Amino acid sequence: ALIRPGPIQGDMVHPYLRRRAGIEPVTYLHPTLEPILKRTLGVPIFQEQVMRIAIELADFTPSQADELRRAMGFRRYSPQMELLREQLHQGMDRRGIARPLQEQIITFLTAFGHYGFPESHSASFALLAYASAWFKVHHPALFTMCLINSQPMGFYSNATLVNDARHHGVECRPPDLRYSVWDCTLEPAKSGGRWEQALRIGLRCVKGLGKRARDRLEGARTKGPFTSIRDVVVRTGLSKDALVALSKSGAFDGFVEGGKRRDVLWAVLRAAQIPTEGVAQYGGAEREAVAFEPVGRAERIVADYRFTGLCTDGHPMEVFRPALDQRRVQTARGLEHIEDEAWVRVAGMAIVRQRPSTAKGFTFVSL
């Protein structure tokens, strides 16, 4: 209920945190408020507290208190709110509360009213946040798998989720038609002498595959795992575009010794008997051996991002970091050692851009 834009703008967050940390004392505008606000340290956090304040201090009925709660949600002028404001004054007059203090209490309530949140909603969100945090700490592979399988959702891309999992020690494995199904899955992995879980990227992450390709892949897998490129082509009947997308994503690599990306693509095209510019270039002789330039690490990382939106064992910034170091471009970790207010030069992949910009024309970008 508290860590949201409204409470931040209403200056309710820091007073609560300072009081919780024992930095400032817990105070109340009126003794009657103490039993209502004691467990939230004198700061109104829940809508139910506002309703109780109106009932206890101004003799409102529960129905009037609920009407007040709803009227407070409007930022614009409201005749109904003016009427309720006068009823608050009348009720507090009967309780002998001085007018200046009444004004403080009403201002206090009105400021809260623009962002009030029911306690039941707050508890639900808190439980979800706590459970998610627990899974992320204790089962990071499972946590990442579930997030990717639930896309599109949330704030971060699959690439960010996979990179974060790798930073927390999760082995991430690329899409592979020998093992991958449509969704991401978990596989056993040995780490430091003990068995843990590795994340296998599902075919859902391969760009260019739609519902038809998913149904064909899943239908074919029910008859057993794939054993070769030809086996995939024959049993799935996938289109040329789908086969090329899978090939360029690396999903066929395991079927070709060395897993060289260009050799794999050539083998897939031959297995599907698809005429290509490449075939014509080599005299139309598909059976002839063709020697391709190997794909370098940088090119493979870029290809993985282009065709799956992520990379399980690399990051595009690896390619640029040596040159950036020479230009004294800071890493994220290096920022910890920079003095406050110093100007720095940074570089990275843009993962989130704030849209639209702020009123003053600023745009926030997450790297």
Side-chain angles (χ1 to χ4, degrees):
L2 196 61
I3 310 302
R4 299 189 298 119
I8 293 170
Q9 294 170 0
D11 195 27
M12 296 293 181
V13 176
H14 291 296
Y16 175 83
L17 295 178
R18 286 195 296 266
R19 293 177 182 196
R20 187 173 183 271
I23 297 172
E24 73 174 45
V26 177
T27 58
Y28 306 94
L29 291 175
H30 189 274
T32 307
L33 295 176
E34 182 170 356
I36 301 172
L37 301 178
K38 184 174 182 179
R39 71 189 182 96
T40 56
L41 308 181
V43 178
I45 293 179
F46 308 119
Q47 288 180 348
E48 292 86 349
Q49 290 176 309
V50 170
M51 295 171 66
R52 280 195 60 199
I53 290 171
I55 292 170
E56 298 293 335
L57 266 70
D59 291 328
F60 269 39
T61 64
S63 177
Q64 284 178 301
D66 187 56
E67 195 176 350
L68 175 67
R69 173 190 65 80
R70 285 185 276 112
M72 282 180 168
F74 294 97
R75 292 182 177 272
R76 298 185 299 274
Y77 171 80
S78 166
Q80 182 65 18
M81 186 61 209
E82 287 302 312
L83 176 62
L84 289 166
R85 182 189 294 271
E86 184 55 36
Q87 291 175 354
L88 283 169
H89 278 303
Q90 293 172 3
M92 286 189 279
D93 283 341
R94 291 193 295 271
R95 297 292 300 271
I97 299 173
R99 277 281 172 153
L101 182 55
Q102 289 183 28
E103 289 295 341
Q104 281 185 274
I105 292 171
I106 291 174
T107 301
F108 181 71
L109 293 178
T110 304
F112 168 85
H114 294 318
Y115 68 81
F117 208 56
E119 185 172 2
S120 59
H121 288 198
S122 179
S124 298
F125 278 108
L127 180 61
L128 288 170
Y130 186 90
S132 299
W134 188 91
F135 271 106
K136 189 178 189 303
V137 170
H138 297 286
H139 300 280
L142 175 63
F143 176 82
T144 307
M145 180 195 78
C146 292
L147 277 184
I148 295 177
N149 289 344
S150 299
Q151 295 282 38
M153 61 165 285
F155 191 71
Y156 294 110
S157 67
N158 288 343
T160 305
L161 298 175
V162 168
N163 280 325
D164 182 74
R166 292 174 57 213
H167 284 258
H168 289 86
V170 175
E171 180 186 346
C172 297
R173 298 171 177 174
D176 187 326
L177 280 161
R178 297 174 300 171
Y179 312 112
S180 295
V181 293
W182 185 253
D183 283 336
C184 296
T185 53
L186 299 180
E187 298 176 350
K190 202 164 188 179
S191 175
R194 62 176 184 171
W195 287 96
E196 296 182 353
Q197 290 179 315
L199 173 67
R200 172 66 69 181
I201 301 300
L203 300 177
R204 63 165 30 244
C205 294
V206 178
K207 296 180 181 180
L209 298 184
K211 183 179 183 300
R212 178 177 295 181
R214 181 192 68 188
D215 292 344
R216 287 178 178 273
L217 285 162
E218 289 181 339
R221 282 294 297 244
T222 60
K223 300 175 183 177
F226 297 118
T227 58
S228 67
I229 291 175
R230 186 68 182 167
D231 187 35
V232 174
V233 171
V234 171
R235 285 168 54 191
T236 63
L238 288 171
S239 67
K240 168 188 172 180
D241 289 342
L243 291 170
V244 170
L246 285 165
S247 178
K248 290 185 174 181
S249 74
F252 278 108
D253 288 2
F255 294 123
V256 175
E257 186 177 355
K260 296 178 181 178
R261 199 67 61 90
R262 290 191 176 98
D263 294 40
V264 171
L265 176 58
W266 182 257
V268 170
L269 295 176
R270 288 182 61 190
Q273 295 183 337
I274 301 171
T276 66
E277 294 179 5
V279 174
Q281 180 182 348
Y282 291 98
E286 294 186 49
R287 290 183 295 275
E288 291 183 6
V290 180
F292 293 103
E293 286 286 332
V295 174
R297 177 170 172 77
E299 190 177 353
R300 186 181 60 77
I301 291 174
V302 171
D304 284 350
Y305 269 85
R306 180 174 295 163
F307 297 108
T308 66
L310 57 91
C311 184
T312 55
D313 65 347
H315 191 284
M317 289 302 294
E318 292 177 21
V319 180
F320 301 107
R321 180 50 58 190
L324 293 172
D325 287 342
Q326 292 179 0
R327 298 175 62 181
R328 304 182 68 181
V329 176
Q330 287 291 336
T331 63
R333 184 163 291 148
L335 296 176
E336 299 175 8
H337 309 293
I338 305 296
E339 293 183 4
D340 288 348
E341 300 188 8
W343 284 88
V344 296
R345 186 180 289 173
V346 296
M349 285 185 67
I351 57 171
V352 179
R353 297 173 182 85
Q354 176 205 33
R355 296 232 166 78
S357 302
T358 66
K360 294 185 179 181
F362 288 99
T363 296
F364 291 88
V365 180
S366 296
L367 297 181

